[in-house]
């Protein structure tokens, strides 16, 4: 019998006007080569520590400074031996520059369907349409 491991992650929909940020998953990450919203493991549950974790993860993953906003949805799904709870939040871009290299980019919300997204990335993109 498979022993499942629970994971709690967050995805951030960073907005600037009618555009959002996508990043291509690295070769050593889950969903390598697919595009997804910035996503990271959550180590704290609420308040200022969670807000600070969102801000530092956004800078690390995208190069952008963000102002975290409202909770959009929670998606529960399984991948191999992991049971993942993915909390999705909106955020405003308040500064910084996208990381160089082409693996992070601004995308028009209407163009999201043209990107090879992870399953959860596709679900989030449908919420934005």
């Amino acid at each position: 019998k498979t022993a499942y491991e629970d994971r709690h992650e967050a995805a951030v929909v960073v907005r600037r006007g009618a555009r959002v940020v996508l990043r291509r998953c690295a070769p050593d990450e889950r969903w390598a080569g697919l595009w997804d919203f910035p996503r990271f493991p959550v180590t704290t549950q609420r308040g200022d520590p969670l807000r600070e974790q969102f801000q530092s993860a956004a800078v690390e993953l995208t190069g952008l400074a963000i102002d975290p906003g409202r909770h959009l949805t929670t998606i529960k799904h399984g991948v191999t031996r992991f049971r993942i709870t993915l909390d999705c939040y909106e955020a405003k871009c308040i500064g910084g520059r996208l990381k160089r290299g082409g693996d992070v980019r601004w995308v028009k919300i209407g163009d999201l369907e043209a990107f090879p997204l992870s399953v959860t990335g596709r679900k989030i993109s449908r919420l934005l349409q």
Side-chain angles (χ1 to χ4, degrees), residues 109-127:
I109 291 173
D111 294 342
L112 288 170
E113 291 210 7
F115 281 80
L117 297 171
S118 67
V119 171
T120 52
R122 183 75 53 216
K123 288 179 181 180
I124 296 167
S125 73
R126 287 188 192 120
L127 287 175

PDB file of all heavy atoms in Angstrom, residues 109-127:
ATOM      1  N   ILE A 109      -3.764  37.346 -19.992  1.00  0.00           N
ATOM      2  CA  ILE A 109      -4.683  36.324 -19.481  1.00  0.00           C
ATOM      3  C   ILE A 109      -5.343  35.574 -20.639  1.00  0.00           C
ATOM      4  O   ILE A 109      -5.485  34.355 -20.599  1.00  0.00           O
ATOM      5  CB  ILE A 109      -5.725  36.945 -18.526  1.00  0.00           C
ATOM      6  CG1 ILE A 109      -5.018  37.393 -17.244  1.00  0.00           C
ATOM      7  CG2 ILE A 109      -6.842  35.962 -18.214  1.00  0.00           C
ATOM      8  CD1 ILE A 109      -5.866  38.182 -16.271  1.00  0.00           C
ATOM      9  N   GLY A 110      -5.677  36.268 -21.717  1.00  0.00           N
ATOM     10  CA  GLY A 110      -6.296  35.630 -22.874  1.00  0.00           C
ATOM     11  C   GLY A 110      -5.374  34.669 -23.607  1.00  0.00           C
ATOM     12  O   GLY A 110      -5.838  33.839 -24.390  1.00  0.00           O
ATOM     13  N   ASP A 111      -4.050  34.769 -23.376  1.00  0.00           N
ATOM     14  CA  ASP A 111      -3.081  33.896 -24.052  1.00  0.00           C
ATOM     15  C   ASP A 111      -2.683  32.675 -23.224  1.00  0.00           C
ATOM     16  O   ASP A 111      -1.880  31.851 -23.679  1.00  0.00           O
ATOM     17  CB  ASP A 111      -1.805  34.684 -24.402  1.00  0.00           C
ATOM     18  CG  ASP A 111      -2.062  35.759 -25.440  1.00  0.00           C
ATOM     19  OD1 ASP A 111      -3.104  35.690 -26.136  1.00  0.00           O
ATOM     20  OD2 ASP A 111      -1.228  36.678 -25.553  1.00  0.00           O
ATOM     21  N   LEU A 112      -3.229  32.526 -22.009  1.00  0.00           N
ATOM     22  CA  LEU A 112      -2.827  31.420 -21.136  1.00  0.00           C
ATOM     23  C   LEU A 112      -3.092  30.052 -21.757  1.00  0.00           C
ATOM     24  O   LEU A 112      -2.336  29.111 -21.536  1.00  0.00           O
ATOM     25  CB  LEU A 112      -3.529  31.523 -19.778  1.00  0.00           C
ATOM     26  CG  LEU A 112      -3.034  32.636 -18.860  1.00  0.00           C
ATOM     27  CD1 LEU A 112      -3.967  32.782 -17.656  1.00  0.00           C
ATOM     28  CD2 LEU A 112      -1.608  32.374 -18.412  1.00  0.00           C
ATOM     29  N   GLU A 113      -4.154  29.940 -22.556  1.00  0.00           N
ATOM     30  CA  GLU A 113      -4.493  28.642 -23.142  1.00  0.00           C
ATOM     31  C   GLU A 113      -3.429  28.141 -24.110  1.00  0.00           C
ATOM     32  O   GLU A 113      -3.359  26.951 -24.387  1.00  0.00           O
ATOM     33  CB  GLU A 113      -5.850  28.719 -23.824  1.00  0.00           C
ATOM     34  CG  GLU A 113      -6.962  28.885 -22.823  1.00  0.00           C
ATOM     35  CD  GLU A 113      -8.264  28.273 -23.272  1.00  0.00           C
ATOM     36  OE1 GLU A 113      -8.282  27.588 -24.311  1.00  0.00           O
ATOM     37  OE2 GLU A 113      -9.243  28.476 -22.564  1.00  0.00           O
ATOM     38  N   ALA A 114      -2.596  29.032 -24.626  1.00  0.00           N
ATOM     39  CA  ALA A 114      -1.564  28.640 -25.583  1.00  0.00           C
ATOM     40  C   ALA A 114      -0.325  28.051 -24.899  1.00  0.00           C
ATOM     41  O   ALA A 114       0.541  27.512 -25.574  1.00  0.00           O
ATOM     42  CB  ALA A 114      -1.148  29.854 -26.419  1.00  0.00           C
ATOM     43  N   PHE A 115      -0.248  28.145 -23.572  1.00  0.00           N
ATOM     44  CA  PHE A 115       0.913  27.656 -22.837  1.00  0.00           C
ATOM     45  C   PHE A 115       0.672  26.248 -22.311  1.00  0.00           C
ATOM     46  O   PHE A 115      -0.433  25.932 -21.859  1.00  0.00           O
ATOM     47  CB  PHE A 115       1.225  28.586 -21.651  1.00  0.00           C
ATOM     48  CG  PHE A 115       1.939  29.831 -22.059  1.00  0.00           C
ATOM     49  CD1 PHE A 115       1.251  30.891 -22.608  1.00  0.00           C
ATOM     50  CD2 PHE A 115       3.315  29.939 -21.903  1.00  0.00           C
ATOM     51  CE1 PHE A 115       1.914  32.044 -22.998  1.00  0.00           C
ATOM     52  CE2 PHE A 115       3.979  31.078 -22.292  1.00  0.00           C
ATOM     53  CZ  PHE A 115       3.278  32.128 -22.839  1.00  0.00           C
ATOM     54  N   PRO A 116       1.710  25.402 -22.347  1.00  0.00           N
ATOM     55  CA  PRO A 116       1.577  24.072 -21.738  1.00  0.00           C
ATOM     56  C   PRO A 116       1.667  24.223 -20.214  1.00  0.00           C
ATOM     57  O   PRO A 116       2.750  24.376 -19.650  1.00  0.00           O
ATOM     58  CB  PRO A 116       2.764  23.293 -22.309  1.00  0.00           C
ATOM     59  CG  PRO A 116       3.771  24.333 -22.665  1.00  0.00           C
ATOM     60  CD  PRO A 116       3.001  25.571 -23.009  1.00  0.00           C
ATOM     61  N   LEU A 117       0.517  24.248 -19.572  1.00  0.00           N
ATOM     62  CA  LEU A 117       0.439  24.454 -18.124  1.00  0.00           C
ATOM     63  C   LEU A 117       0.281  23.130 -17.389  1.00  0.00           C
ATOM     64  O   LEU A 117      -0.245  22.164 -17.946  1.00  0.00           O
ATOM     65  CB  LEU A 117      -0.762  25.344 -17.766  1.00  0.00           C
ATOM     66  CG  LEU A 117      -0.746  26.770 -18.294  1.00  0.00           C
ATOM     67  CD1 LEU A 117      -2.096  27.433 -18.030  1.00  0.00           C
ATOM     68  CD2 LEU A 117       0.366  27.568 -17.650  1.00  0.00           C
ATOM     69  N   SER A 118       0.697  23.121 -16.124  1.00  0.00           N
ATOM     70  CA  SER A 118       0.403  21.980 -15.265  1.00  0.00           C
ATOM     71  C   SER A 118      -1.114  21.896 -15.100  1.00  0.00           C
ATOM     72  O   SER A 118      -1.830  22.860 -15.413  1.00  0.00           O
ATOM     73  CB  SER A 118       1.072  22.171 -13.899  1.00  0.00           C
ATOM     74  OG  SER A 118       0.472  23.266 -13.222  1.00  0.00           O
ATOM     75  N   VAL A 119      -1.613  20.785 -14.624  1.00  0.00           N
ATOM     76  CA  VAL A 119      -3.063  20.630 -14.436  1.00  0.00           C
ATOM     77  C   VAL A 119      -3.608  21.707 -13.498  1.00  0.00           C
ATOM     78  O   VAL A 119      -4.625  22.331 -13.784  1.00  0.00           O
ATOM     79  CB  VAL A 119      -3.402  19.216 -13.906  1.00  0.00           C
ATOM     80  CG1 VAL A 119      -4.857  19.122 -13.508  1.00  0.00           C
ATOM     81  CG2 VAL A 119      -3.061  18.171 -14.938  1.00  0.00           C
ATOM     82  N   THR A 120      -2.919  21.943 -12.395  1.00  0.00           N
ATOM     83  CA  THR A 120      -3.395  22.967 -11.464  1.00  0.00           C
ATOM     84  C   THR A 120      -3.234  24.355 -12.065  1.00  0.00           C
ATOM     85  O   THR A 120      -4.070  25.222 -11.844  1.00  0.00           O
ATOM     86  CB  THR A 120      -2.673  22.876 -10.103  1.00  0.00           C
ATOM     87  OG1 THR A 120      -1.263  22.880 -10.329  1.00  0.00           O
ATOM     88  CG2 THR A 120      -3.080  21.620  -9.355  1.00  0.00           C
ATOM     89  N   GLY A 121      -2.188  24.577 -12.851  1.00  0.00           N
ATOM     90  CA  GLY A 121      -2.016  25.857 -13.541  1.00  0.00           C
ATOM     91  C   GLY A 121      -3.175  26.113 -14.488  1.00  0.00           C
ATOM     92  O   GLY A 121      -3.686  27.232 -14.594  1.00  0.00           O
ATOM     93  N   ARG A 122      -3.614  25.058 -15.183  1.00  0.00           N
ATOM     94  CA  ARG A 122      -4.760  25.188 -16.087  1.00  0.00           C
ATOM     95  C   ARG A 122      -6.026  25.527 -15.305  1.00  0.00           C
ATOM     96  O   ARG A 122      -6.823  26.360 -15.713  1.00  0.00           O
ATOM     97  CB  ARG A 122      -4.942  23.866 -16.865  1.00  0.00           C
ATOM     98  CG  ARG A 122      -6.022  23.857 -17.873  1.00  0.00           C
ATOM     99  CD  ARG A 122      -5.755  24.589 -19.160  1.00  0.00           C
ATOM    100  NE  ARG A 122      -4.537  24.195 -19.821  1.00  0.00           N
ATOM    101  CZ  ARG A 122      -3.754  25.062 -20.482  1.00  0.00           C
ATOM    102  NH1 ARG A 122      -4.098  26.333 -20.570  1.00  0.00           N
ATOM    103  NH2 ARG A 122      -2.662  24.674 -21.070  1.00  0.00           N
ATOM    104  N   LYS A 123      -6.222  24.895 -14.154  1.00  0.00           N
ATOM    105  CA  LYS A 123      -7.407  25.186 -13.330  1.00  0.00           C
ATOM    106  C   LYS A 123      -7.392  26.643 -12.857  1.00  0.00           C
ATOM    107  O   LYS A 123      -8.423  27.321 -12.878  1.00  0.00           O
ATOM    108  CB  LYS A 123      -7.471  24.237 -12.128  1.00  0.00           C
ATOM    109  CG  LYS A 123      -7.848  22.835 -12.516  1.00  0.00           C
ATOM    110  CD  LYS A 123      -7.882  21.928 -11.314  1.00  0.00           C
ATOM    111  CE  LYS A 123      -8.245  20.496 -11.726  1.00  0.00           C
ATOM    112  NZ  LYS A 123      -8.305  19.569 -10.594  1.00  0.00           N
ATOM    113  N   ILE A 124      -6.233  27.123 -12.442  1.00  0.00           N
ATOM    114  CA  ILE A 124      -6.122  28.514 -11.996  1.00  0.00           C
ATOM    115  C   ILE A 124      -6.395  29.443 -13.168  1.00  0.00           C
ATOM    116  O   ILE A 124      -7.109  30.446 -13.030  1.00  0.00           O
ATOM    117  CB  ILE A 124      -4.735  28.781 -11.373  1.00  0.00           C
ATOM    118  CG1 ILE A 124      -4.551  27.956 -10.109  1.00  0.00           C
ATOM    119  CG2 ILE A 124      -4.578  30.271 -11.063  1.00  0.00           C
ATOM    120  CD1 ILE A 124      -3.105  27.906  -9.599  1.00  0.00           C
ATOM    121  N   SER A 125      -5.837  29.131 -14.335  1.00  0.00           N
ATOM    122  CA  SER A 125      -6.025  30.018 -15.502  1.00  0.00           C
ATOM    123  C   SER A 125      -7.508  30.117 -15.873  1.00  0.00           C
ATOM    124  O   SER A 125      -7.959  31.178 -16.290  1.00  0.00           O
ATOM    125  CB  SER A 125      -5.195  29.531 -16.696  1.00  0.00           C
ATOM    126  OG  SER A 125      -5.735  28.383 -17.283  1.00  0.00           O
ATOM    127  N   ARG A 126      -8.260  29.038 -15.708  1.00  0.00           N
ATOM    128  CA  ARG A 126      -9.701  29.083 -15.995  1.00  0.00           C
ATOM    129  C   ARG A 126     -10.444  30.027 -15.053  1.00  0.00           C
ATOM    130  O   ARG A 126     -11.428  30.642 -15.430  1.00  0.00           O
ATOM    131  CB  ARG A 126     -10.296  27.689 -15.940  1.00  0.00           C
ATOM    132  CG  ARG A 126      -9.907  26.846 -17.127  1.00  0.00           C
ATOM    133  CD  ARG A 126     -10.656  25.522 -17.161  1.00  0.00           C
ATOM    134  NE  ARG A 126     -10.034  24.649 -18.143  1.00  0.00           N
ATOM    135  CZ  ARG A 126      -9.509  23.469 -17.880  1.00  0.00           C
ATOM    136  NH1 ARG A 126      -9.548  22.985 -16.657  1.00  0.00           N
ATOM    137  NH2 ARG A 126      -8.959  22.760 -18.827  1.00  0.00           N
ATOM    138  N   LEU A 127      -9.957  30.117 -13.813  1.00  0.00           N
ATOM    139  CA  LEU A 127     -10.574  31.068 -12.866  1.00  0.00           C
ATOM    140  C   LEU A 127     -10.374  32.506 -13.304  1.00  0.00           C
ATOM    141  O   LEU A 127     -11.175  33.368 -12.985  1.00  0.00           O
ATOM    142  CB  LEU A 127      -9.949  30.900 -11.473  1.00  0.00           C
ATOM    143  CG  LEU A 127     -10.311  29.678 -10.664  1.00  0.00           C
ATOM    144  CD1 LEU A 127      -9.491  29.639  -9.390  1.00  0.00           C
ATOM    145  CD2 LEU A 127     -11.804  29.690 -10.334  1.00  0.00           C
TER     146      LEU A 127
END
